[in-house]
Amino acid sequence: MSENVINGKQIVADIRGKLKEEIGLLAPEGFRPGLAVVLVGEDPASAVYVRNKAKACEQVGIYSEVHRLPAETSQVELLELVDRLNRDTKIHGILVQLPLPKHISEDAVIDAIAVEKDVDGFHPINVGNLSIGKPSLLPCTPAGVIEIIKRTGITISGKRAVVIGRSNIVGKPVSMLLLRENATVTVCHSRTENMKELCREADILVVAIGKPKFVTKEFVKPGAVVIDVGINRLEDGTLAGDVDFGDVVDTAGPITPVPGVVGPMTITMLLHNTLQAAKALRA
C-alpha cells in the first residue's frame, strides 16, 4: 500500500481509545452514556450498519439498545417510540436509521427527535446552529471527514477545498465545516460547468456523489488531499468509492481507500456525539 494512503484503522483506534478512557472515568460515578438505534424494515445495508454501531458502543463502554421494527410499522407508531426514547433518562442519543419505508416521512421523524439527543446532527435546529457557527451536535460523516483531514497533518485554514456533491447529509454540512475551518470552499454538483478544472485547483477534494469511480486523476491536483465518501457495490459484488482509487492514488497526496476509513469514522463520530450529548444532558 502506498505511503499516502490514509490509515483509517489507526485513526479510529486512537479516537475510540480516548473515548473509552473518558467513558471509563464516568463509570465510578454510576453514569453511562446511552444510545438507542431504531431500524425499520430489513434493508440489508442498514442492518449491517446497525450491527456495527452496536458493536462499537460495546467496545467503548456506551450502553446501547436496538429497536427493530417491521417494515409495515406506521409513522404514528414510530413517532410514539421516538417520544418514549426522548423521555428515557438512560438514553442520551437517538438514531433512526435511514432510509425509512416510503410511507414514513423522514422529515417528520427527524423533527420529532429531541434536539439534545439528535446524535445524527440532522435536526433543523442542529443544522441551523451548524450554519451560523453555534455549538451543536455535528452530522457524523462530515465531522469524521474533517477529523480525517486534520490527522493528515494539513492545515485547513487558507486552503482551497472542493466538495463534489450537495446532499443534506454530506455535501452541504461538510462544506460548512470546511468554511468553519477557514478553507475557501467550492461546491460542485450535476449542473457544474468545468468541474475538472475547478477540482484541479483544490488542495482538499471531498467526493460524495454516489457514482462509482467518477473522479479520475484528471480531477486531482498533484499532492491534494482526497477524501472519498462514496461506497458503491459494483456488478461483480465488489465495493468501490466515488474516486477511481487505482487511477488517482499516485497523483494525490493523502487519500482514503474505500472501504475502511470514512465508514468507520462515521460510527466513531456517532460515539463521540453520544458522549457529548450525555455530558450535556447530565450537566
Side-chain angles (χ1 to χ4, degrees):
M1 183 175 287
S2 301
E3 292 182 0
N4 60 318
V5 178
I6 294 170
N7 187 338
K9 286 185 178 180
Q10 185 61 57
I11 296 173
V12 165
D14 288 348
I15 297 173
R16 293 188 187 182
K18 290 182 175 64
L19 289 171
K20 183 176 181 178
E21 182 179 343
E22 187 172 356
I23 292 166
L25 293 174
L26 299 172
E29 304 172 27
F31 181 75
R32 189 182 185 190
L35 172 68
V37 178
V38 181
L39 176 63
V40 184
E42 299 179 358
D43 178 77
S46 293
V48 170
Y49 294 149
V50 168
R51 285 198 300 272
N52 289 341
K53 288 165 183 171
K55 183 178 178 181
C57 284
E58 182 179 1
Q59 181 184 34
V60 301
I62 290 175
Y63 167 75
S64 70
E65 55 188 44
V66 178
H67 298 263
R68 292 180 171 85
L69 306 178
E72 60 270 20
T73 299
S74 71
Q75 180 168 308
V76 169
E77 290 171 322
L78 178 55
L79 292 175
E80 287 175 348
L81 172 59
V82 169
D83 181 60
R84 290 200 302 273
L85 295 173
N86 283 339
R87 292 182 280 107
D88 189 336
T89 56
K90 71 177 180 294
I91 296 298
H92 308 99
I94 300 169
L95 184 151
V96 178
Q97 184 68 44
L98 304 179
L100 291 168
K102 292 182 179 179
H103 66 277
I104 298 176
S105 166
E106 291 185 357
D107 287 344
V109 174
I110 291 169
D111 290 353
I113 296 172
V115 175
E116 63 272 16
K117 294 188 178 186
D118 169 39
V119 287
D120 249 342
F122 290 164
H123 193 285
I125 291 177
N126 279 327
V127 173
N129 285 334
L130 166 61
S131 69
I132 61 177
K134 285 189 173 183
S136 64
L137 291 169
L138 300 176
C140 299
T141 298
V145 166
I146 298 299
E147 187 64 29
I148 292 166
I149 295 170
K150 288 181 175 179
R151 285 175 180 258
T152 68
I154 188 175
T155 300
I156 299 175
S157 181
K159 298 296 191 298
R160 293 289 303 272
V162 171
V163 178
I164 306 181
R166 53 177 171 177
S167 72
N168 292 332
I169 294 175
V170 179
K172 290 177 184 176
V174 82
S175 67
M176 287 189 281
L177 287 174
L178 286 164
L179 279 172
R180 182 182 289 189
E181 297 291 335
N182 298 312
T184 300
V185 183
T186 300
V187 178
C188 295
H189 47 80
S190 59
R191 304 294 177 87
T192 300
E193 297 180 356
N194 303 318
M195 188 184 297
K196 287 183 181 179
E197 289 77 5
L198 290 170
C199 291
R200 279 201 298 267
E201 296 177 0
D203 304 300
I204 301 166
L205 180 61
V206 180
V207 190
I209 53 171
K211 293 185 178 181
K213 301 186 178 183
F214 177 81
V215 169
T216 59
K217 62 184 177 183
E218 288 78 16
F219 286 75
V220 180
K221 176 182 178 179
V225 177
V226 178
I227 308 295
D228 188 354
V229 181
I231 185 161
N232 311 277
R233 189 166 296 280
L234 305 179
E235 291 183 1
D236 63 2
T238 60
L239 297 175
D242 293 345
V243 175
D244 188 336
F245 182 84
D247 189 57
V248 170
V249 64
D250 292 333
T251 300
I255 182 172
T256 57
V258 174
V261 182
V262 174
M265 271 299 292
T266 296
I267 295 176
T268 301
M269 298 316 292
L270 173 67
L271 304 177
H272 168 82
N273 279 356
T274 302
L275 175 58
Q276 296 309 307
K279 289 161 64 177
L281 286 164
R282 184 189 188 206

